[in-house]
Amino acid sequence: MESEARHSLPPGALAPRAPELEEQPPEHEPIHPGSGRKSALRRAAGPLVAIGLLLAKFGTKLKAVLFLLPKLKFLTTSASMLVSIVAYQLIFGWPFAVGFVLLLLLHELGHVIQLRREGIQASAPMFIPFLGAVISAKSMGDDAAAEARVGLAGPVLGTIATLVPLGIWLATGDDFWRALAYIGFLINLFNLLPVLPLDGGRAMAALSPWVWFVGFAGLIALTVFFPNPILLLVLLFGGMESYRRWKLRKTPEARAYHAVPARTRVLVAATYLGLAALLAVGVTETFFERDLSDV
């Protein structure tokens, strides 16, 4: 056989060469309809859809975690403030980061003070970098009027605190204080959006819960044009809370909770509209063009 003959050749002898195989061109799969750009888009959209489903599935647990965080002893107010200052200074520098966190602190303290006035024990604020701060309490009050007072107390004290950098800017002309006043007015105005769980949504509990759905539709439009993670979280938590309250709206407890005297409704509406108008003027008057290279 050929293999035996090859092995029996003397050393140095050349074995007959096997016939060379012709190189075959590489085979390609035919192009099928749907391959290419549409498939790439589907592959790119897949992870986004999965993330959305996970958020919807675990949204309740995420909300519980956020509101349980203030109870963790090792995450004290001062420690979480320090972490937030360090995080914000990476973008804005130390002075602005300190001022920004102090404005957040005074806003949250407004809620804490009013909750305790309502006879409800509230935790100290705990800060979450780039998301703000949270407090925890067993309830927002005995009725919708108490919830509105608690909700509006944060922007009221936050606005008063923002008058400090505003006054310093008017006295010195230093744009640093102007920027700090602007962000203070903007944060408090954003929190007055009539959407749960924002402060404006709490106020609407004493006026008309139907406004929640108007605010929710507006927030969806805002998220489409200016997408960011904070708006998505507000939509997620607000949607769940609004749906929960909608299901319970006809129960005797819900009817009693929203039974607010007309005088109280007028006071809440006047406070809400007056504060929103004041903050809108503040945002307009302190706004100026700036980018991160100027920080």
Side-chain angles (χ1 to χ4, degrees):
M1 295 179 63
E2 183 183 350
S3 60
E4 293 175 354
R6 184 178 301 153
H7 286 296
S8 64
L9 289 173
L14 294 177
R17 296 179 61 184
E20 293 184 359
L21 296 175
E22 293 185 4
E23 272 192 35
Q24 299 293 329
E27 294 185 1
H28 299 281
E29 291 291 330
I31 297 176
H32 298 286
S35 62
R37 185 174 299 178
K38 290 185 179 180
S39 297
L41 289 175
R42 282 198 292 267
R43 287 195 298 271
L48 295 177
V49 173
I51 291 171
L53 292 174
L54 286 173
L55 281 175
K57 182 176 181 180
F58 298 107
T60 304
K61 295 181 180 179
L62 178 59
K63 183 179 179 181
V65 169
L66 287 177
F67 284 97
L68 283 174
L69 282 175
K71 299 182 179 180
L72 299 178
K73 293 182 178 180
F74 63 90
L75 289 175
T76 61
T77 298
S78 56
S80 62
M81 281 181 67
L82 180 60
V83 171
S84 288
I85 290 172
V86 171
Y88 291 129
Q89 70 83 26
L90 296 174
I91 302 175
F92 304 113
W94 288 105
F96 192 88
V98 171
F100 179 54
V101 171
L102 286 176
L103 289 177
L104 288 176
L105 173 65
L106 290 168
H107 177 104
E108 294 301 324
L109 284 179
H111 297 309
V112 173
I113 292 169
Q114 186 59 40
L115 277 168
R116 293 180 179 176
R117 290 185 64 187
E118 301 288 342
I120 300 168
Q121 188 64 31
S123 71
M126 203 224 40
F127 292 81
I128 305 171
F130 306 110
L131 288 179
V134 295
I135 60 171
S136 66
K138 291 184 178 179
S139 73
M140 290 290 110
D142 295 332
D143 54 24
E147 182 178 1
R149 289 191 293 268
V150 170
L152 290 174
V156 167
L157 188 55
T159 301
I160 294 172
T162 305
L163 295 179
V164 174
L166 176 66
I168 297 175
W169 168 58
L170 293 175
T172 64
D174 189 342
D175 280 343
F176 169 81
W177 299 105
R178 181 181 184 178
L180 199 57
Y182 170 76
I183 199 68
F185 287 132
L186 183 63
I187 289 171
N188 288 285
L189 182 61
F190 173 77
N191 273 279
L192 284 182
L193 288 175
V195 180
L196 289 171
L198 297 179
D199 301 332
R202 304 290 182 192
M204 292 305 107
L207 298 180
S208 174
W210 284 99
V211 183
W212 290 334
F213 298 99
V214 177
F216 196 74
L219 187 61
I220 291 175
L222 186 64
T223 306
V224 170
F225 288 104
F226 305 99
N228 68 72
I230 294 178
L231 292 180
L232 290 173
L233 287 174
V234 173
L235 278 175
L236 175 65
F237 294 151
M240 291 191 300
E241 180 65 12
S242 300
Y243 178 68
R244 184 187 70 83
R245 294 199 186 196
W246 176 257
K247 288 196 304 181
L248 301 174
R249 69 190 185 282
K250 294 183 178 179
T251 63
E253 294 82 4
R255 292 179 182 276
Y257 185 82
H258 290 284
V260 178
R263 179 176 176 274
T264 303
R265 293 180 189 273
V266 171
L267 288 174
V268 170
T271 303
Y272 177 84
L273 293 174
L275 188 58
L278 177 63
L279 289 168
V281 171
V283 167
T284 302
E285 292 301 318
T286 56
F287 173 79
F288 67 110
E289 292 288 345
R290 215 172 172 198
D291 55 39
L292 291 178
S293 63
D294 300 321
V295 176

